[in-house]
């Protein structure tokens, strides 16, 4: 019997295949490129997305020549919209800024900087009705925690907390809250800004914008 892997689909990739996950038989000694070839043969509608996708195997980003072991979890990651329990979370409930502030505050931290990201009511002149956020939650929380570790390495003493919401949000609702605490304000500002920028790069969280005249996955265009 051929080795089998589990393939996870998110956002636009999930819509193209019509499913969130499936089992796939792969050849012995398969690599990521082999898995992608099999998937596009099975789901031709995925082909136009491939230039935009990244692949994660067992919650780590990998290249096309990376091996895929039997039983691996292979995730197709579209461009992002953009662990440590308690400080780095993906949740499906309304957010409170106080939660991240309380997670990092303390008497040793003289500087504390926060960021609240809310849903705008328009994008490039088009009125936004709602957003739908989707995430590969286990990997997203792991990547959020890595951002926290990176910030602490760059600004010693910085402590971060990041909580991102998923599900349906309307204009004015909070999508992400971040707090950065440090002994001094300069490091706290640096850590918070770093978290905001890194969040847009590697964390597998996607958003779909719904307008009066259409909808679009952010990062993939119309």
């Amino acid at each position: 019997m051929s080795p089998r892997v589990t393939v996870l689909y998110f956002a636009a990739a999930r819509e193209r295949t019509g499913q969130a996950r499936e089992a796939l038989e792969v050849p012995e000694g398969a690599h990521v490129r082999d898995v992608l070839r099999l998937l596009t043969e099975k789901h031709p509608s995925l082909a136009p997305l491939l230039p935009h996708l990244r692949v994660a195997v067992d919650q780590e980003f990998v290249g096309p020549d990376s091996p895929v072991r039997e039983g691996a979890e292979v995730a197709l990651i579209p461009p992002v919209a953009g662990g440590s329990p308690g400080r780095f979370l993906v949740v499906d409930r309304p957010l409170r800024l106080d939660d991240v502030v309380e997670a990092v505050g303390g008497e040793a931290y003289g500087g504390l900087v926060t960021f609240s990201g809310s849903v705008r009511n328009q994008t490039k002149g088009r009125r936004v009705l709602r957003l739908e956020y989707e995430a590969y939650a286990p990997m997203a929380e792991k990547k959020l925690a890595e951002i926290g570790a990176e910030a602490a390495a760059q600004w010693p003493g910085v402590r971060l907390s990041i909580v991102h919401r998923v599900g349906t949000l309307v204009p004015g609702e909070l999508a992400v809250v971040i707090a950065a605490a440090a002994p001094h304000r300069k490091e706290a500002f640096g850590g918070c800004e770093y978290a905001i920028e890194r969040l847009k790069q590697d964390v597998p969280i996607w958003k779909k914008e719904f307008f009066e005249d259409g909808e679009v996955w952010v990062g993939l265009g119309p």
Side-chain angles (χ1 to χ4, degrees):
M1 185 175 178
S2 299
R4 296 171 72 87
V5 300
T6 299
V7 183
L8 305 181
Y9 301 105
F10 297 96
R14 172 180 48 76
E15 290 184 343
R16 295 290 179 96
T17 62
Q19 56 192 332
R21 66 168 56 216
E22 69 173 322
L24 181 73
E25 290 190 358
V26 298
E28 292 282 352
H31 293 76
V32 167
R33 67 173 69 255
D34 301 314
V35 174
L36 293 178
R37 175 179 54 79
L38 290 170
L39 290 176
T40 52
E41 289 174 358
K42 188 173 183 180
H43 305 288
S45 60
L46 279 177
L49 286 184
L50 286 187
H52 305 284
L53 298 178
R54 299 174 72 183
V55 178
V57 175
D58 294 328
Q59 301 181 16
E60 293 292 341
F61 286 120
V62 296
D65 296 323
S66 296
V68 179
R69 65 172 181 82
E70 181 174 6
E73 185 179 80
V74 180
L76 301 192
I77 308 291
V80 300
S84 300
R87 289 206 290 138
F88 304 99
L89 297 172
V90 174
V91 301
D92 61 356
R93 54 172 170 76
L95 301 182
R96 296 175 61 252
L97 186 61
D98 286 349
D99 289 343
V100 289
V101 170
E102 293 168 2
V104 299
E107 294 181 358
Y109 298 91
L112 194 151
V113 176
T114 66
F115 172 80
S116 300
S118 61
V119 178
R120 298 188 302 270
N121 64 1
Q122 64 84 31
T123 296
K124 298 180 180 179
R126 303 172 74 186
R127 189 164 77 90
V128 174
L129 302 179
R130 68 184 189 278
L131 297 184
E132 290 186 1
Y133 280 91
E134 181 178 326
Y136 182 13
M139 183 177 177
E141 291 183 349
K142 182 177 180 180
K143 292 299 178 183
L144 292 176
E146 288 178 6
I147 292 172
E150 292 167 8
Q154 188 164 344
W155 294 278
V158 164
R159 185 159 66 168
L160 284 178
S161 178
I162 308 170
V163 181
H164 205 295
R165 185 177 173 185
V166 293
T168 301
L169 285 74
V170 298
E173 289 191 295
L174 291 175
V176 61
V177 287
I178 301 173
H184 305 286
R185 67 179 183 274
K186 182 178 180 180
E187 289 78 11
F189 275 106
C192 188
E193 184 176 17
Y194 181 81
I196 295 165
E197 295 305 318
R198 284 285 287 114
L199 181 63
K200 303 174 184 177
Q201 297 170 3
D202 286 343
V203 182
I205 299 174
W206 308 275
K207 67 178 179 180
K208 191 173 189 178
E209 291 185 304
F210 290 81
F211 309 101
E212 293 175 306
D213 59 349
E215 59 194 54
V216 62
W217 284 104
V218 174
L220 287 178

